[in-house]
Amino acid sequence: THSYSISLGCICNCCYNTRQHHRKTRQKSTMPTRWSRLTREVLVIHKHRYERIRGFTVTSPSHLGLHRTIIMSRSSSSSSSTFKTTPDICDDCEDTIRVIDPSLGFRNFGGKTHFGGTAVTVKCFEDNSKVKELAKTMNGTNKVMVVDGGGSRRRALLGDMVAADCVEQGWEGLVIYGSIRDVDEIAALDLGVQALGSHPQKTQKRNEGMVNIPVMFGGVTIQPGDYVICDNNGIVVNASDPRNHK
């Protein structure tokens, strides 16, 4: 994933100038068509905060206003998971694979539905301070953040701004034993997110929680560094990289 920054004000100025030129000349050209399309989509972004422009995913790290900066992440086929599907992994690693109990009701919320990587674990309860900290500061390449939120459905441990930070830092995805919010915005991101459900209210910020300790939910203990692979079939955990299994 590559990241680009572009000023929304610059986009709007370019759109305006190009459209004015088009009105004066009344001649067809590819540039006015391109920018008029961009104008319409920028207006959609201003309403929904996320939209695609010519192969880019446009996001905002905070609530978008005309003075804000847009972060554009190029979508690429190379961002799709290199792991097999979870059923194939279960067949290949039958003796070592662990499956998180599907009856917990985990669902895919992110734009990336098949993802995996090494686990970085967080244990917290109705306080996403540590999730936010890792999303902003840790390089998440080939990593999955596994958050044991105690299964609480009363507060959201992930929202659109923290999810946008995860995309910027290259995280593969998050598995959250708890709730999230801003589900429409998160669905537009190139990020895997599995969680129990949604709740519109944010968490408290008490700076509580622990990072990189063993966590357990769904009958599975997940150690930091374990491999976690997720898709629409479920969530599986293996102590070693399942791609190396013979």
Side-chain angles (χ1 to χ4, degrees):
T1 300
H2 308 281
S3 292
Y4 303 83
S5 293
I6 184 168
S7 167
L8 182 57
C10 291
I11 291 178
C12 292
N13 288 337
C14 289
C15 296
Y16 176 79
N17 293 336
T18 304
R19 291 173 69 188
Q20 289 296 102
H21 173 74
H22 181 56
R23 285 172 180 168
K24 289 180 180 179
T25 59
R26 297 183 179 277
Q27 294 176 354
K28 292 184 178 180
S29 68
T30 57
M31 185 62 73
T33 302
R34 178 175 183 266
W35 283 111
S36 63
R37 177 190 174 192
L38 189 57
T39 306
R40 289 195 298 272
E41 294 191 347
V42 166
L43 294 176
V44 173
I45 297 163
H46 187 55
K47 180 179 179 181
H48 295 291
R49 292 200 292 273
Y50 294 87
E51 188 54 66
R52 292 192 179 275
I53 294 181
R54 302 182 78 83
F56 292 87
T57 299
V58 180
T59 67
S60 170
S62 59
H63 295 293
L64 186 63
L66 291 177
H67 62 288
R68 300 291 186 182
T69 297
I70 302 172
I71 296 173
M72 301 202 304
S73 301
R74 187 192 298 273
S75 298
S76 169
S77 59
S78 63
S79 66
S80 62
S81 177
T82 58
F83 291 97
K84 294 181 179 179
T85 65
T86 54
D88 286 343
I89 291 172
C90 287
D91 292 344
D92 292 343
C93 308
E94 189 173 0
D95 296 333
T96 60
I97 202 71
R98 291 163 284 157
V99 180
I100 291 179
D101 187 351
S103 68
L104 290 180
F106 275 95
R107 295 163 47 199
N108 259 319
F109 286 93
K112 186 190 295 184
T113 58
H114 183 197
F115 62 97
T118 56
V120 176
T121 61
V122 178
K123 187 174 180 64
C124 58
F125 187 75
E126 297 182 0
D127 178 355
N128 74 339
S129 300
K130 298 301 180 183
V131 176
K132 184 177 181 179
E133 179 182 324
L134 290 177
K136 279 183 172 291
T137 62
M138 180 177 283
N139 184 336
T141 303
N142 299 321
K143 296 183 179 73
V144 173
M145 194 186 306
V146 180
V147 183
D148 179 0
S152 173
R153 304 293 296 271
R154 300 184 301 184
R155 295 294 177 104
L157 293 173
L158 179 72
D160 57 346
M161 291 183 284
V162 175
D165 288 334
C166 288
V167 173
E168 190 173 358
Q169 290 292 339
W171 287 89
E172 293 295 325
L174 301 92
V175 175
I176 298 179
Y177 184 43
S179 298
I180 70 168
R181 66 180 190 168
D182 300 315
V183 295
D184 295 328
E185 292 86 348
I186 289 173
L189 293 177
D190 187 26
L191 181 71
V193 178
Q194 289 238 8
L196 298 182
S198 60
H199 193 287
Q201 193 171 10
K202 67 182 180 180
T203 70
Q204 301 292 327
K205 297 293 189 295
R206 301 182 297 268
N207 199 31
E208 295 177 355
M210 293 176 283
V211 176
N212 274 338
I213 64 168
V215 297
M216 185 177 76
F217 51 86
V220 174
T221 298
I222 303 170
Q223 302 282 349
D226 279 351
Y227 279 80
V228 178
I229 304 93
C230 311
D231 61 18
N232 285 323
N233 299 287
I235 305 170
V236 299
V237 181
N238 206 56
S240 60
D241 190 339
R243 292 170 295 189
N244 298 332
H245 186 82
K246 302 297 183 182

